[in-house]
Amino acid sequence: MANKPGKKSKKPWIILSIILFIIIGIPLIVLGLSFIGRIDPDSVIPDSFDLYASVPNPVDLTEKVLSHESLPEILAVQELAPLVPVLADFESSGVLGNRFVRFAAKGRLDAASYEEGRLLASWNMGICSPLLRFLPAIAGRLTIPNLYYVQAGKNSRFEYRMDNGTVFYIGPYKNLLILSNNSALFESVLQGTSRDRDIRKSSAKDFFARDYDVAFLLSSSALSSLVGTADPNIASTVNLLRFPGAVEASLRVLPKQLELSIVTPLDSGSPALKTIIERNSAAAGLTAIIPENTQYLTLLSAGPLREILDAGSAVSGAEFDRTYSQADSAAKSLFGLSLDDILCSWTGSEFAVFGLEGRPNPVIAVEIRDEAKRREIFNKIFQSIFIEENINLNLDGNRIPRIQVPGFLAVFLKWLNVEVPSPYYTVHDNYLLVSESAETLLAAVNAIRGNAVLPKTELWRTLAGNSAGRPASSRGSGDLNSFSLYYSLDRSLPFFLRGNSMAASVLKLYRQGLVRLSLEQRTARISLSVIPGAGKGIMPVPGFPVETGGRTDNRLYGVRSGQESRLLLVRDNAALALNPADRTFSEMPNPGGPGSPGREGSLLYLIPAEDENFPVRNAGGDDGIAWVVNSQGRVSLVNKNMESLRGFPVITGVRLSSAPAVQGGKLYLSGEDGYVHIVDKQGAVSRWETRFTPPLLSPPSFLEWHNSVYAASYPKSFLGELWLQDLAGKALPGWPVFASGIAFGSPLLFGSNGSGVSNNSNARLLMAFITQAGELTVYAEDAVPLPTFPLSLEGVFYVQPVFDGEFLWLLNDRGMLYQISLEGEILSQEIPRLSVKESGFITTADVDGDGIGEIFFSGEGNVLYGYKRNFMSLDGFPLPVRGRPVIADINGDGKIEFAGAGMDNRIYMWQFRK
């Protein structure tokens, strides 16, 4: 029936209302339903946990972790290496980019662990919780491997069954998604009985922290088990403390920074510790006078010195008391004063030790409570015959007194090999400053006078928070502390990083940090803020170090076949090729090695088939990448899987007198017969016409120069000669020349553009050679030494020099690093605790792309150093490896990597930051 004229149809309004109801009404209804019966995630988690964790927003935390600057270094920690492929797959999946996933997964996630490895987690699904009721309906449509839906009435759930037998139970409960690896624990949540035995109820899981990405509660029993593996001093202190409640830890993840906070109620049965615990922390005025170039600082402001000594006695026990008693008796005998008179009668409650950048001696700072009493004590001490005050030093108009023993006593003590410190001291603004270096003390005082102090620096503000650096009258509770520890790993290693735990390994990646402890109403608050620190430096490559499973030598090589790289080394007399991409090994045993029936034991050598440090090959994977040679002359050319190519092995019959060498794809073998034998890639064997007497104990060194290849050789003897030859082994005119003394290694061939050679603007071929006694000579191609050579250097030399394009670099046996110009100018720097003998190594490589080579070297220990041309140590060095490293783009990603073998028989790899 047609509509009457003048009346409008209602159908459009009905349709519009339905659409609006679908768009607005249904979501509002769902939103309303989501609030009905809503509970917090922690309300179903029993209080008997060992460890409890709460994540306010899992999506935000995941994004912050993935974008954290130090994540690659963290994943390189061995215990975390298995997470590398998991995170890589997660990032490539694009899950975080899905809007629905981000919306549904942003609710709070709480989890806890219990005895016997039981786990329980609850995830608040928020306004998406009504959708949980549809999970049974879609269960049959899910085709996820190992995921099953089990119908069991109210206990119906999903089960994810892992290959190792572990089962995770997953199911909805009100607005929560529950997950557990224990069926009884899971079902107790669905039945609403999981917390029936709780005494503390939900208040047990309240957090002091309000701004965090993840927070934890640790039970007292779990804390005790952790302390058992901690530093002994920490363990003994914690054992004297009582923890009335759970220990809270919270973490904030920032792009370049981590902030960790620990809060716990404290008590103690020790009266000495209880005295300190019951005193609320105050703002330490000493912080305001610490110089801005401080690299490490320990500040204690927990109470008067007498109370600190009593606490030390409670922690350390009888040994501390015995030592203090002996020192007290000595003080009374020498000065007629007790230690309490000397130390406690005039001091306040603030004490600090700090070190300045570039200065080895630290400064001790002590608050003066009674200056008149301090002067009285000092005068009594200086009036004795055992200690005197020397006031003769005047620096920049500042008279700096020195505490020292009289001359007659100093001579006697020196005869007894007794070292007595003679520190300098000064008083500034009610603080006594003491240091063994007058220059350091003056630098500290000048910084304080100029108000160039640490709290004003951006670094301190970053680590300490917004309250740092404000006047004392306006400081908030964040500046109240009883203990502070500011550090830079370039100069100091804090006590809590000295272990080998996973947490310590992670925190060591952050080179600068600040720890502060404050006490208030018997509650301790500890904050730790860390940042990676300044400088380019290096970072560990994820998945390394790699265990080799045996004893390795100290020489590592790198090759590339097609798009794949290999690291080459010898382990237990077997040749290995390590694929750095998946960290798998290919192996070729030495058939002439120990234990082979009918054969004499032999050494094994493995070197790249090309002569470059890390040759780039365009050939396929079946091409020969390395030579495997034993000392009996058995030669194999192998591919990347350590398989011999066709025509190999070749039995040359050469008994090697030295390690082999490679040039132009050919293998050069120095034989005990005095000849140098050559093996090409077709297996043909030839030899040089020259016969050395005695045979070479180190292989020839080669250099390609102006489209020709030259070789340098040194037959070692007291009447040894230096040879410069062409590639056929024929001596050049004027050669050989007599070496001025016996030496180790082979001469260095290098080319110079002439900029460092007097009266010579043309490029020249040069040879450098140093004797064991330290006589360095640089020869021109015509066998004539350059002007100003030879030079006599101090020390014994086991390693021949290297050339960085402008300077020669050498190491003596005591760790003296020399820089020698071609005009004879000498610069040097001693490397402490470095011993260099025949296993030492030195090389140069340009790792920062500035055209200037950096210098890398190692000695007898498990330490490899890296230095710039100006003798400044490279960021991140030294490294725990030895011998010959590989310095190249190993991963093929355009960045330089550094790989080496450690004495722990592991292969390490780092990447240089750009």
Side-chain angles (χ1 to χ4, degrees), residues 605-681:
Y605 303 97
L606 173 63
I607 56 175
E610 301 290 342
D611 48 294
E612 294 91 352
N613 177 59
F614 197 89
V616 178
R617 309 294 306 279
N618 296 319
D622 291 332
D623 187 48
I625 66 166
W627 296 100
V628 180
V629 188
N630 69 16
S631 56
Q632 297 172 343
R634 186 181 190 274
V635 176
S636 288
L637 182 62
V638 298
N639 61 17
K640 64 183 180 183
N641 299 318
M642 301 305 290
E643 300 165 336
S644 292
L645 299 189
R646 185 176 181 180
F648 289 91
V650 172
I651 309 301
T652 65
V654 178
R655 298 182 68 87
L656 272 64
S657 59
S658 74
V662 171
Q663 167 62 37
K666 295 181 179 180
L667 181 69
Y668 289 76
L669 306 177
S670 303
E672 291 182 357
D673 58 3
Y675 289 104
V676 173
H677 303 262
I678 308 167
V679 183
D680 64 22
K681 291 187 175 182

Side-chain angles (χ1 to χ4, degrees), residues 416-429:
L416 295 176
N417 291 323
V418 176
E419 293 287 340
V420 178
S422 299
Y424 297 87
Y425 78 93
T426 188
V427 174
H428 182 81
D429 286 348

Side-chain angles (χ1 to χ4, degrees), residues 371-382:
E371 172 61 11
K373 187 67 174 178
R374 183 200 68 78
R375 290 183 179 180
E376 176 187 339
I377 295 296
F378 274 42
N379 287 336
K380 287 184 178 180
I381 291 175
F382 294 144

Side-chain angles (χ1 to χ4, degrees), residues 763-787:
R764 304 179 69 183
L765 173 66
L766 302 173
M767 175 195 290
F769 186 75
I770 189 165
T771 65
Q772 184 177 351
E775 183 171 296
L776 173 65
T777 308
V778 178
Y779 297 91
E781 185 178 344
D782 57 6
V784 177
L786 296 186

Side-chain angles (χ1 to χ4, degrees), residues 858-871:
S858 64
E860 302 308 295
N862 193 49
V863 181
L864 195 145
Y865 298 85
Y867 275 76
K868 298 179 182 178
R869 184 180 281 179
N870 59 3
F871 289 96

